Amino acid sequence: MSGLLLQFGTSRFLQAHADLFLHEARMAGQDVPDVVIVQTSGSAARAGRLAAFSKPEGFPVRIRGLEDGQPVEREVQVKSVTRGLSTAADWPDVVSLFAEQADTILSNTGDSGYSVAPEEAAQGLDASAPLPSFPGKLAQLLLARYRAGGRALTILPCELINRNGPVLKAIVTDLARGAGAEEAFLAWLDTKVIFANTLVDRIVSEPLEPAGAVAEPYALWAIEEAPGLVPPCTHPSIVLAPDIEPYERLKLHILNLGHTVLADIWRKEGRPTEETVRAILSDPAIAARLDALYRDEVVPGFAARGLGGEAQAYVETTLSRFRNPFLDHRLSEIAGNHAVKIERRIAAFLAWAGTPAPTLQNIVSR
């Protein structure tokens, strides 16, 4: 494959997930693309991280946890990333790489990454300066690529949004249409750009400075099959499936839902400021509340959808991951964008499952 993968988002998650997978695939002899990471937020606090991405020695990812009941601790120096750029400072370089060199686009732009201001389309898609939102920037870059010859492109969004690929495609298309884009570009966008539907799953608990991360052994990258879609590498943690909704629902409405429930308890009940997931579950009363929630409200909802057995097994795996003795996953971090997470992880579950869930309903209603 070779070529170039342009990654939007500097998150520690992708460093310990896709970037690590690509490095390991290359070390196994695969021809994989170099990664250029692009910061979309403009945050000055990430300047050191961006500089570190350009260092040839790479960055460390520490895998810590239990596999088959045995402790695992290893460190990998990830060298798949070759450069760090910023849309604020390096926009012309980003436009050039996107339009002319990239074959694959990867993104993880956070819980509100797909938000677009109503007036953004009115600014047009001229690429002389970046639009504020990630979908706006993506629309600009796609138009620049179309005008540069329009080679086909695969976009692999990794945001934790149900059906992230189709959702992102719809947002970009609507924005382009609202900006007055020509029909030929819209047709190219529809037929030559693959907006893959994906699901990522790994607990990445801590950043390392200036770049790198600490993560659990468990990892999954589920990608829904589509005509012409070729993942950037093969890896034991990458699964191609005809339908990834079961993976999405299990992860979003068990692991992520559990995190948000614990964060809600932490926020509302005066828990210690630096409390971790592992620490809060060492409180027998809290552990019992989460166990009851899964047993009485979550698993029955999945059972109503024909996924009861899969949900019970994933609950057991999730609780083991939550209690990983080697990770310090702080609830203060999980509690970020709390209202958005309640909507996506809990309210969406209630709408999907349609079964009685008074505890979850109370969280949504407060």
Side-chain angles (χ1 to χ4, degrees):
M1 171 178 274
S2 199
L4 180 69
L5 187 152
L6 208 56
Q7 173 181 311
F8 290 86
T10 64
S11 71
R12 69 186 190 228
F13 177 84
L14 286 182
Q15 294 172 57
H17 193 264
D19 299 336
L20 173 62
F21 299 168
L22 286 160
H23 169 81
E24 291 176 330
R26 179 173 288 171
M27 292 300 99
Q30 294 181 43
D31 182 22
V32 301
D34 288 335
V35 179
V36 174
I37 295 181
V38 180
Q39 179 196 40
T40 60
S41 67
S43 170
R46 299 289 173 86
R49 183 176 295 181
L50 282 181
F53 289 147
S54 299
K55 294 182 178 179
E57 63 267 28
F59 54 81
V61 171
R62 294 177 192 151
I63 306 300
R64 305 178 68 193
L66 299 175
E67 285 183 324
D68 301 322
Q70 299 300 312
V72 171
E73 182 158 6
R74 61 188 175 92
E75 182 168 305
V76 181
Q77 200 70 16
V78 173
K79 299 180 181 179
S80 55
V81 178
T82 61
R83 192 177 179 191
L85 298 174
S86 164
T87 55
D90 308 299
W91 181 243
D93 288 340
V94 174
V95 174
S96 176
L97 290 173
F98 191 106
E100 300 170 8
Q101 296 187 40
D103 297 303
T104 306
I105 305 301
L106 190 65
S107 71
N108 188 358
T109 55
D111 292 293
S112 58
Y114 289 1
S115 299
V116 179
E119 67 276 7
E120 198 162 327
Q123 299 178 49
L125 300 184
D126 174 73
S128 59
L131 288 171
S133 71
F134 169 64
K137 294 179 179 74
L138 186 57
Q140 291 176 290
L141 294 167
L142 286 163
L143 181 59
R145 186 181 181 92
Y146 168 74
R147 289 174 173 170
R151 288 191 301 120
L153 185 69
T154 296
I155 299 176
L156 296 166
C158 295
E159 290 81 6
L160 292 177
I161 294 172
N162 189 37
R163 297 198 59 75
N164 51 21
V167 168
L168 182 58
K169 179 178 182 177
I171 293 170
V172 170
T173 301
D174 288 349
L175 198 156
R177 187 173 283 113
E182 58 188 281
E183 286 300 321
F185 169 61
L186 295 173
W188 174 83
L189 199 61
D190 188 47
T191 59
K192 297 296 185 182
V193 181
I194 299 172
F195 286 83
N197 189 31
T198 82
L199 183 279
V200 295
D201 191 357
R202 173 169 249 173
I203 295 173
V204 181
S205 61
E206 297 177 67
L208 299 175
E209 297 300 338
V214 180
E216 65 173 339
Y218 180 96
L220 172 70
W221 190 5
I223 303 173
E224 196 163 277
E225 295 169 350
L229 190 155
V230 178
C233 69
T234 59
H235 189 277
S237 296
I238 297 177
V239 174
L240 289 175
D243 180 9
I244 67 165
E245 183 177 7
Y247 295 99
E248 290 179 318
R249 294 294 182 179
L250 290 167
K251 201 260 181 171
L252 191 63
H253 300 324
I254 294 179
L255 185 140
N256 295 132
L257 178 148
H259 272 159
T260 296
V261 167
L262 292 174
D264 199 68
I265 292 170
W266 175 83
R267 282 165 53 96
K268 292 182 169 69
E269 299 185 10
R271 308 288 303 186
T273 303
E274 294 298 310
E275 192 166 40
T276 64
V277 171
R278 182 180 71 251
I280 198 172
L281 286 176
S282 69
D283 181 331
I286 301 295
R289 287 164 66 181
L290 185 63
D291 288 343
L293 181 72
Y294 280 143
R295 181 188 66 243
D296 300 336
E297 301 188 19
V298 174
V299 172
F302 275 92
R305 288 289 191 151
L307 292 169
E310 292 87 342
Q312 185 58 53
Y314 192 77
V315 164
E316 292 171 7
T317 298
T318 295
L319 289 172
S320 175
R321 293 166 67 188
F322 282 177
R323 292 184 169 94
N324 184 339
F326 302 99
L327 292 188
D328 294 321
H329 200 185
R330 288 173 178 79
L331 288 158
S332 58
E333 296 182 355
I334 295 169
N337 294 308
H338 191 58
V340 172
K341 290 175 179 175
I342 287 176
E343 183 65 29
R344 289 185 184 158
R345 301 173 177 188
I346 301 178
F349 171 75
L350 295 172
W352 174 73
T355 52
T359 307
L360 293 175
Q361 187 63 60
N362 185 49
I363 293 173
V364 171
S365 300
R366 282 196 299 237

